[in-house]
Amino acid sequence: MLILTCPCCGVTGEETEFHAGGEAHIKRFGPGSDDEQFHSYMFAKENAKGVHFERWRHNNGCGKWFHAARCTTTLEVFGTYSAQTYEPPKEIKDKISARRPGWSWREFA
Amino acid sequence: MSKPVSALEGASYQGFAKVEEVGLRGMITIRGDLKSAGMKKAAAAATGLDVPGQREVKLDGDTALAWMSSDELLAMVPYAEVDDRIAAIDKALKGKHYLAVNVSDARAIFRLSGGNAREVIAKLSPVDMSSDAFGLGQIRRTRMAQVPAAFWVDETGAIMVVCFRSVAQYVFDLLKGAAENGNQVGYLN
Ligand SMILES: [Zn+2]
């Protein structure tokens, strides 16, 4: 069971109050992109064992979207942060580094 | 004009706690910039109450103003006065980016009273219902078994529960089952 804290309303709840929204920080390619770009956007996902970044929605609460950084093997949640960002904030990356030195995930480390 | 009726027309059940459908309650969803001066004016005009802070509910008898999210409030007012209150909000927020909508007939509202009312909620929602963790002046939006719901504690210690009208019967049956005599857990007081 994941315990998430919604950064929008401050509620700390268990995962049944939330809804997972897939991988975070995906750069979208739509009209005008080439096949390779669209393919990687659509199908090439991280499927990480360890540190992972996801989008979540507080669907049974304030209704807002946010980001979560967590470990897929232990279900440890390193932190949650605003949906209005293209990359994990430094504070979150520092928290992960403290728990999983040397981690990397796509272009982030 | 047809006669408005609430979802369950005041159904009630007495178990180790009492469950009552409260009947018609005026409800207005307000969205906009909660920190703006206009919103403060609108809140006062519609309910006479201050804009609540994060996860707070301001209460004055049957009138209430609840924080629903960082850009949404729920005003509870007498059913017959909703149109007037919305007009007052429209006046206070004229020219601003906002929304005020009558959702009275889209909701059902229940009152849960009796010594173990907290225990009834604790069985149905993933929320710490001890009085230390959840007290007067707070509102919690969450799920109740399989549907979204919100609740708060009023001045009398009763718990008010709001849900969508379409699931009113489901929520009433949940509360009834959880409040049945003999089903006390006795963990929360
Ligand atoms: Zn939230």
Side-chain angles (χ1 to χ4, degrees):
Chain A
M1 184 72 79
L2 284 170
I3 307 287
L4 296 165
T5 299
C6 172
C8 304
C9 71
V11 158
T12 296
E14 44 96 327
E15 66 186 81
T16 64
E17 216 179 88
F18 301 89
H19 194 269
E23 193 169 316
H25 308 303
I26 290 172
K27 185 168 170 15
R28 280 164 182 77
F29 290 95
S33 61
D34 62 33
D35 287 354
E36 185 49 42
Q37 287 171 324
F38 188 74
H39 171 267
S40 70
Y41 153 57
M42 199 68 189
F43 301 112
K45 296 289 152 46
E46 280 305 301
N47 197 23
K49 182 181 178 186
V51 175
H52 195 38
F53 295 84
E54 290 171 322
R55 303 190 309 150
W56 284 79
R57 183 172 173 255
H58 197 183
N59 65 325
N60 283 318
C62 70
K64 303 297 186 194
W65 285 93
F66 60 93
H67 282 122
R70 68 177 183 100
C71 177
T72 59
T73 50
T74 63
L75 300 192
E76 177 175 357
V77 177
F78 303 114
T80 53
Y81 52 101
S82 168
Q84 282 73 40
T85 177
Y86 291 110
E87 58 180 275
K90 185 175 180 303
E91 167 220 356
I92 294 287
K93 292 199 272 190
D94 288 349
K95 275 184 188 158
I96 301 171
S97 296
R99 303 284 299 158
R100 301 286 187 281
W103 69 278
S104 74
W105 186 87
R106 285 209 249 129
E107 70 266 39
F108 309 121
Chain B
M1 188 64 189
S2 49
K3 177 176 167 264
V5 289
S6 65
L8 305 179
E9 300 192 68
S12 72
Y13 172 78
Q14 178 72 59
F16 68 78
K18 186 170 190 192
V19 184
E20 301 159 272
E21 196 225 12
V22 171
L24 294 169
R25 176 71 59 93
M27 293 195 203
I28 305 164
T29 284
I30 308 167
R31 299 195 79 157
D33 179 356
L34 302 191
K35 295 193 172 76
S36 67
M39 188 59 79
K40 198 175 159 64
K41 261 167 57 186
T47 61
L49 297 164
D50 282 337
V51 175
Q54 190 181 58
R55 298 198 314 279
E56 278 179 8
V57 57
K58 303 280 184 191
L59 302 167
D60 179 16
D62 278 351
T63 299
L65 189 60
W67 189 95
M68 300 299 271
S69 82
S70 49
D71 58 1
E72 180 178 341
L73 300 175
L74 180 65
M76 277 155 282
V77 301
Y79 185 84
E81 290 172 29
V82 167
D83 289 341
D84 290 346
R85 306 294 179 100
I86 289 180
I89 296 168
D90 288 340
K91 200 169 157 219
L93 288 169
K94 195 172 190 315
K96 300 287 191 302
H97 181 64
Y98 78 100
L99 169 149
V101 167
N102 180 359
V103 296
S104 313
D105 297 323
R107 303 285 164 83
I109 180 163
F110 297 95
R111 184 169 189 274
L112 210 58
S113 53
N116 289 317
R118 285 172 176 272
E119 196 172 294
V120 176
I121 302 286
K123 289 183 185 184
L124 302 169
S125 297
V127 176
D128 182 350
M129 286 306 292
S130 64
S131 38
D132 293 343
F134 189 79
L136 184 65
Q138 283 176 275
I139 182 166
R140 176 64 188 251
R141 294 181 74 179
T142 182
R143 69 180 172 87
M144 202 158 271
Q146 300 191 40
V147 297
F151 47 78
W152 65 95
V153 185
D154 77 8
E155 293 99 331
T156 68
I159 300 176
M160 304 297 290
V161 178
V162 176
C163 67
F164 289 115
R165 183 180 179 123
S166 55
V167 294
Q169 186 69 55
Y170 175 82
V171 169
F172 181 73
D173 291 344
L174 283 177
L175 294 169
K176 196 174 141 181
E180 201 173 297
N181 268 317
N183 285 354
Q184 290 95 326
V185 177
Y187 186 69
L188 291 171
N189 292 304

